[in-house]
């Protein structure tokens, strides 16, 4: 603590403490890139999960938007901040639109590729272009792409994103790693945890995806990579053109429950402390509507416990993440780490500022209570307890 005060706050009387940004406007896009040859069971399951989403976490976005529209501006191109993105008109399964009744749907533009790699680039190019055409970048502060099989805790996620300035460039997600012989490990976002980009990054995403679409070398997904290849190619595009890789923005142990097997997801979700379930940002993968409802009910109940600080251990200092091969990097990029450090309740910030002002100019290594002070001898009448 002394080192922290000494290093960070020696000039605090003249320092301006960053404040938490106002609540950011989050728009969520769910890809439904199912084509005419999709299995009937896959279409049926997607429709059921989409309706479960609409009735659970999707309703939080819709209800928030309806109240805000009466006071401010409309959100997004069609009035609500959650959209299901379909393939080109005429290429989707015949019954898919019926199963998405009540949801806002959008179609990718014509000539969008159906290959695994390029369709992810088309998806992002379309989404950011849509935001600009609908009235400028101010329509959405943040865009999130997330599968229909994941549950999003919208209020907690919006609270976390409000720690960052959306006008700056942010590419956020839960990092996972791909290994290729002869190359450095490549980090890209776990598709179950979603991919988040900020308003200040929209122009770059549009320009870079357009370039990558036109100059892509290989677009077919390698065997076994179908579940993540889209986000991998999108991340490769940003890395090659902008030297930008995904940034972690929350504690991966306490803010996410992400597993490929739905039963394992539910099992680990149940082990998560009930009072801390409200701190989860994303839970996935889920495969049944009742699983989505169950997660929603448990997280909603958890919010009955107030005064729970959703602060993970990783936010308490400088930590790193590493793999079995010895590769390591900072848990958070420095810009993100500092934004999270200052993103606290006002009473904590006031306390830190008050303490910093009182400690300013005091030498922590001299005077009463200093670390360098000699230890006083014990009193003569002091007794010792020895336990064997």
């Amino acid at each position: 603590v002394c080192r922290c005060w000494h290093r960070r706050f020696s000039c605090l009387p003249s320092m301006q403490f960053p404040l938490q940004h106002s609540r950011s406007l989050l728009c969520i896009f769910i890809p439904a890139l199912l084509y005419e040859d999709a299995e009937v069971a896959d279409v049926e399951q997607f429709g059921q999960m989409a309706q479960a989403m609409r009735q659970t976490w999707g309703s939080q976005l819709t209800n928030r938007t309806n109240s805000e529209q009466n006071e401010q501006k409309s959100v997004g191109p069609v009035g609500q901040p959650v959209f299901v993105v379909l393939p080109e008109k005429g290429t989707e399964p015949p019954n898919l639109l019926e199963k998405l009744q009540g949801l806002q749907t959008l179609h990718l533009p014509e000539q969008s590729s159906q290959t695994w790699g390029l369709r992810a680039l088309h998806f992002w190019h379309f989404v950011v272009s849509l935001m600009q055409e609908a009235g400028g970048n101010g329509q959405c502060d943040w865009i999130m792409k997330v599968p229909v099989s994941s549950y999003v805790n919208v209020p907690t996620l919006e609270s976390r994103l409000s720690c960052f300035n959306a006008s700056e460039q942010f590419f956020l997600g839960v990092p996972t790693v791909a290994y290729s012989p002869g190359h450095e490990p490549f980090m890209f976002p776990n598709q179950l945890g979603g991919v988040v980009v900020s308003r200040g990054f929209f122009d770059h995403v549009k320009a870079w995806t357009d370039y990558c679409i036109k100059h892509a070398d290989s677009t077919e997904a390698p065997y076994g990579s179908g579940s993540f290849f889209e986000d991998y190619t999108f991340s490769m595009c940003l890395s090659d053109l902008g030297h930008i890789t995904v940034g972690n923005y929350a504690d991966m142990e306490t803010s996410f429950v992400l597993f490929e097997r739905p039963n394992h997801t539910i099992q680990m979700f149940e082990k998560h402390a009930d009072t801390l379930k409200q701190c989860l940002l994303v839970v996935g993968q889920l495969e049944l509507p009742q699983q989505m409802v169950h997660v929603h009910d448990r997280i909603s109940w958890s919010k009955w416990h107030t005064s729970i600080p959703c602060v993970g251990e990783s936010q308490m200092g400088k930590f790193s993440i590493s793999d079995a091969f010895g590769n390591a990097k900072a848990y958070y990029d420095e810009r993100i780490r500092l934004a999270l450090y200052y993103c606290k309740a006002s009473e904590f910030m006031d306390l830190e500022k008050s303490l910093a002002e009182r400690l300013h100019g005091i030498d922590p290594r001299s005077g009463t209570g200093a670390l360098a002070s000699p230890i006083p001898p014990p009193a003569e009448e002091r007794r010792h307890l020895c336990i064997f």
Side-chain angles (χ1 to χ4, degrees), residues 29-341:
F29 293 80
I30 299 173
L33 303 184
L34 301 170
Y35 294 90
E36 294 174 298
D37 57 351
E39 297 289 338
V40 175
D42 293 338
V43 177
E44 181 69 25
Q45 183 186 29
F46 188 94
Q48 292 177 356
M49 293 300 291
Q51 291 299 333
M53 175 276 297
R54 182 175 69 89
Q55 297 165 9
T56 55
W57 65 264
S59 64
Q60 297 173 336
L61 277 165
T62 304
N63 293 338
R64 180 208 68 186
T65 303
N66 290 339
S67 61
E68 288 182 352
Q69 282 180 348
N70 295 331
E71 303 174 3
Q72 303 178 30
K73 58 187 178 183
S74 63
V75 181
V78 286
Q80 292 187 2
V82 56
F83 314 96
V84 178
V85 181
L86 303 169
E88 303 173 59
K89 286 186 178 180
T91 64
E92 74 276 3
N95 298 328
L96 182 58
L97 280 173
E98 297 177 10
K99 300 183 183 302
L100 301 178
Q101 187 174 3
L103 291 164
Q104 298 288 344
T105 58
L106 304 168
H107 284 271
L108 288 178
E110 296 182 2
Q111 307 303 321
S112 295
S113 175
Q114 297 183 20
T115 54
W116 279 96
L118 285 183
R119 74 181 192 178
L121 300 175
H122 279 287
F123 176 93
W124 278 104
H125 186 270
F126 167 69
V127 166
V128 295
S129 300
L130 195 67
M131 291 298 100
Q132 295 172 335
E133 294 169 2
N137 291 339
Q139 292 294 309
C140 294
D141 292 317
W142 301 91
I143 290 178
M144 181 182 198
K145 170 183 174 285
V146 68
V148 73
S149 59
S150 293
Y151 179 92
V152 180
N153 186 4
V154 174
T156 305
L157 177 59
E158 288 183 320
S159 176
R160 174 50 55 96
L161 293 178
S162 68
C163 296
F164 311 111
N165 186 351
S167 63
E168 298 179 5
Q169 297 179 22
F170 285 101
F171 173 38
L172 307 175
V174 182
T176 188
V177 182
Y179 297 92
S180 300
H183 297 276
E184 293 291 325
F186 180 71
M187 300 189 73
F188 65 100
N190 184 324
Q191 61 101 15
L192 295 177
V195 184
V196 182
V197 299
S198 62
R199 169 169 37 88
F201 201 26
F202 290 175
D203 289 339
H204 290 84
V205 170
K206 181 179 178 180
W208 292 343
T209 53
D210 181 65
Y211 181 90
C212 291
I213 289 170
K214 295 176 181 177
H215 298 86
D217 292 330
S218 175
T219 57
E220 294 302 325
Y223 177 77
S225 65
S227 62
F228 64 81
F229 191 66
E230 294 185 32
D231 294 320
Y232 175 82
T233 55
F234 174 64
S235 301
M236 284 290 292
C237 177
L238 302 187
S239 175
D240 289 346
L241 297 183
H243 303 288
I244 292 176
T245 56
V246 63
N248 183 32
Y249 67 105
D251 192 286
M252 290 184 281
E253 298 295 328
T254 60
S255 300
F256 302 93
V257 177
L258 306 175
F259 296 95
E260 291 290 339
R261 292 183 296 160
N263 289 338
H264 194 190
T265 302
I266 293 297
Q267 186 181 44
M268 299 308 295
F269 174 77
E270 295 296 345
K271 290 183 178 181
H272 208 80
D274 284 338
T275 55
L276 296 178
K277 283 183 169 67
Q278 61 184 295
C279 299
L280 290 169
L281 300 180
V282 184
V283 178
Q285 162 168 290
L286 308 172
E287 67 176 347
L288 300 173
Q290 51 266 39
Q291 292 176 338
M292 186 80 74
V293 173
H294 174 73
V295 170
H296 178 73
D297 290 343
R298 298 305 297 170
I299 289 179
S300 298
W301 179 87
S302 175
K303 294 174 183 177
W304 178 83
H305 299 274
T306 58
S307 302
I308 299 295
C310 293
V311 179
E313 183 180 355
S314 62
Q315 294 176 230
M316 299 299 183
K318 285 191 174 183
F319 291 86
S320 63
I321 50 179
S322 60
D323 59 13
F325 301 100
N327 301 300
K329 72 181 295 290
Y331 200 94
Y332 299 110
D333 293 339
E334 187 66 6
R335 181 174 55 136
I336 293 176
R337 189 183 71 83
L338 290 176
L340 293 178
Y341 179 83

Side-chain angles (χ1 to χ4, degrees), residues 1-12 15 341 355-356 359-366 371:
V1 173
C2 292
R3 182 179 71 238
C4 181
W5 286 117
H6 181 69
R7 288 173 56 192
R8 290 192 179 280
F9 302 117
S10 59
C11 301
L12 273 185
M15 177 179 177
Y341 179 83
L355 285 173
L359 293 173
H360 179 63
I362 299 177
D363 187 351
R365 304 204 176 276
S366 64
L371 294 178

